[in-house]
């Protein structure tokens, strides 16, 4: 075992990022240099021997709730469109990771055998044991559930030790929006119940409740900080832990 492996704090984690994280300075779509940068962050943690799951949102391509409200599409159809957006993002991340030499599997909750695997829990666990990065796409496969909930569900099923929430422009959980309030206070630690009662911006309520019920800590950190993901695995950096 290497010194890097002994320094790590977790053996298996879920990384949840938004679709917007992949669009860089663009207002829409995928920004390849940004995708590659995040892939390199993932590789740096993979190189430590950590088993990694990922869930990526689809908001950079289509967001179901907004599409339903603004586009005249019924909510169920809009959510399915959003799920397809997450598959596109997963395939983009797979391409970047594999160009860096990381074996990756895209696993979809909606069957599309020509481009990715269907979700079978035992198979996914086996991929992780073989040190393949598993990117779970298409949410839970059901409308009305967010990718936050999908990430928490898959993390629970995969026996992950923590969910890492990579945020854009914020390095943890605050009592109010730090972009609008200079006196915003960042928490080092906060409970699931505090997040729910104070409506703190971490995950939606269903995802928080599921994490609480399964005693799954949530680590909120900034994706903008180079080496931040790896640093937290070694007990360094700035972040907030949500736990019981």
């Amino acid at each position: 075992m290497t010194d890097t492996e002994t320094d790590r704090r977790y053996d298996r984690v879920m990384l949840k990022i938004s679709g917007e994280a992949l669009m860089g300075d663009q207002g829409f779509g995928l920004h390849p240099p940004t995708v590659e940068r995040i892939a390199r962050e993932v590789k740096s943690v993979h190189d430590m021997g950590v088993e990694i799951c990922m869930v990526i949102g689809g908001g950079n391509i289509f967001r179901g709730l907004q599409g339903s409200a603004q586009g005249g599409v019924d909510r169920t159809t809009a959510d399915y469109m959003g799920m397809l957006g997450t598959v596109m993002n997963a395939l983009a991340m797979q391409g970047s990771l594999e160009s860096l030499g990381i074996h990756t599997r895209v696993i979809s909750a909606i069957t599309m055998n020509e481009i990715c695997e269907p979700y079978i829990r035992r198979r996914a666990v086996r991929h992780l044991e073989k040190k393949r990065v598993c990117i779970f796409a298409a949410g839970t496969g059901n409308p009305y559930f967010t990718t936050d909930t999908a990430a928490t569900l898959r993390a629970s099923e995969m026996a992950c030790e923590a969910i890492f929430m990579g945020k854009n422009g914020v390095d943890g959980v605050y009592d109010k929006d730090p972009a609008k309030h200079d006196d915003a206070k960042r928490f080092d630690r906060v409970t699931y119940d505090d997040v729910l009662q104070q409506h703190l911006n971490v995950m939606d309520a269903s995802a928080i409740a599921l994490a609480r019920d399964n005693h799954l800590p949530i680590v909120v950190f900034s994706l903008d900080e180079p080496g931040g993901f790896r640093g937290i695995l070694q007990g360094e950096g700035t972040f907030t832990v949500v736990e019981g």
Side-chain angles (χ1 to χ4, degrees):
M1 184 175 290
T2 66
D3 290 340
T4 299
E5 289 176 327
T6 58
D7 287 344
R8 70 188 187 216
R9 303 180 71 187
Y10 301 102
D11 293 318
R12 180 179 295 174
V13 300
M14 166 65 73
L15 174 62
K16 167 62 171 68
I17 62 177
S18 67
E20 287 89 340
L22 303 185
M23 64 187 188
D25 295 331
Q26 303 173 152
F28 181 82
L30 290 158
H31 183 238
T34 299
V35 177
E36 181 181 355
R37 177 179 64 80
I38 295 173
R40 290 188 180 280
E41 294 287 321
V42 174
K43 181 181 185 299
S44 72
V45 171
H46 183 272
D47 288 347
M48 298 171 68
V50 177
E51 297 170 3
I52 304 172
C53 307
M54 293 184 70
V55 168
I56 307 172
N60 57 319
I61 296 173
F62 190 87
R63 186 178 295 278
L65 187 59
Q66 291 180 357
S68 175
Q70 302 173 5
V73 180
D74 70 87
R75 174 63 189 275
T76 299
T77 300
D79 278 356
Y80 280 122
M81 293 169 68
M83 290 178 212
L84 296 176
T86 71
V87 176
M88 295 171 67
N89 287 337
L91 293 171
M93 182 58 65
Q94 180 183 43
S96 283
L97 285 170
E98 295 202 335
S99 73
L100 298 174
I102 305 299
H103 295 295
T104 309
R105 294 292 185 273
V106 173
I107 301 172
S108 174
I110 298 174
T111 303
M112 45 186 79
N113 292 329
E114 289 77 9
I115 59 174
C116 50
E117 292 185 8
Y119 176 68
I120 300 172
R121 188 185 68 83
R122 291 174 65 90
R123 181 187 291 176
V125 169
R126 186 63 178 141
H127 287 320
L128 291 172
E129 291 171 348
K130 291 182 177 180
K131 305 303 181 184
R132 297 165 180 159
V133 173
C134 289
I135 307 175
F136 296 103
T140 66
N142 301 287
Y144 296 94
F145 290 92
T146 67
T147 51
D148 285 348
T149 301
T152 310
L153 175 63
R154 298 295 184 235
S156 300
E157 291 176 308
M158 295 297 106
C160 292
E161 296 168 317
I163 299 173
F164 281 70
M165 288 286 295
K167 297 282 189 177
N168 296 97
V170 63
D171 57 1
V173 179
Y174 287 78
D175 59 349
K176 47 192 164 185
D177 188 347
K180 299 178 180 178
H181 303 276
D182 292 336
D183 61 343
K185 174 187 174 183
R186 187 183 62 79
F187 300 100
D188 289 327
R189 293 186 180 274
V190 65
T191 68
Y192 304 110
D193 289 340
D194 285 340
V195 170
L196 292 171
Q197 293 166 8
Q198 299 178 39
H199 304 286
L200 301 177
N201 184 24
V202 179
M203 287 178 159
D204 66 80
S206 297
I208 292 293
L210 183 59
R212 178 190 60 193
D213 292 347
N214 288 280
H215 309 289
L216 189 59
I218 304 165
V219 181
V220 183
F221 72 105
S222 173
L223 269 179
D224 301 327
E225 183 66 28
F229 186 21
R230 180 188 176 96
I232 295 168
L233 267 294
Q234 297 174 315
E236 304 169 352
T238 303
F239 54 91
T240 299
V241 178
V242 182
E243 55 188 357

